[in-house]
Amino acid sequence: MVRLLGFLFLGLALLGVFLPLLPTTPFVLVAAGCFAKSSERMHRWILANRTFGPMVRDWEEKRCVSCRVKAIAITSMLLVGGLSIFVMLEDFWWRVAGVMLILAGSITVSLLETCKRKAG
């Protein structure tokens, strides 16, 4: 069951890459957590993934997300999501709902602990 949830959250994360109202980062982290408990192979695959691996490693090792990941997530939600809301939606209440979803996603990402930079 946990493995199935991992695939579900991974699918939502992949949809979030293309759908601006759906945040990717939290879904990737939840998927990685599910795979850590249910599928060593899928967990290794996420950790080795060039795009998601560093973010998942930061989360698993330090319980934080890099400033870069936060900036990309929030900026893409605001720009692409905002554009989509005001170009694709005509009904005022659908626009309000879209803004609320973007706001919820942005708040969720911003509340994640930010990784400290390594001194060097």
Side-chain angles (χ1 to χ4, degrees):
M1 180 66 170
V2 176
R3 186 176 186 183
L4 183 62
L5 285 172
F7 282 110
L8 173 70
F9 286 115
L10 185 59
L12 289 171
L14 292 174
L15 279 174
V17 171
F18 303 103
L19 298 174
L21 298 178
L22 199 61
T24 300
T25 302
F27 290 128
V28 170
L29 296 176
V30 173
C34 289
F35 289 138
K37 294 182 182 297
S38 65
S39 173
E40 186 178 332
R41 184 176 68 86
M42 286 303 298
H43 188 246
R44 280 194 319 265
W45 177 82
I46 285 184
L47 289 173
N49 184 282
R50 191 176 62 160
T51 303
F52 300 130
M55 173 181 57
V56 172
R57 281 191 298 278
D58 278 345
W59 182 256
E60 288 184 353
E61 294 169 8
K62 300 177 258 181
R63 286 294 188 249
C64 63
V65 177
S66 74
C67 201
R68 180 179 180 272
V69 167
K70 284 185 169 189
I72 290 170
I74 292 171
T75 301
S76 65
M77 280 188 277
L78 292 174
L79 290 178
V80 180
L83 181 66
S84 298
I85 287 170
F86 293 105
V87 171
M88 303 300 289
L89 300 176
E90 294 180 15
D91 183 74
F92 172 77
W93 292 111
W94 281 113
R95 285 183 176 176
V96 169
V99 168
M100 297 304 287
L101 286 171
I102 291 172
L103 185 61
S106 297
I107 290 170
T108 299
V109 171
S110 68
L111 289 176
L112 297 173
E113 185 72 30
T114 303
C115 297
K116 307 287 186 262
R117 287 207 228 202
K118 295 179 184 175

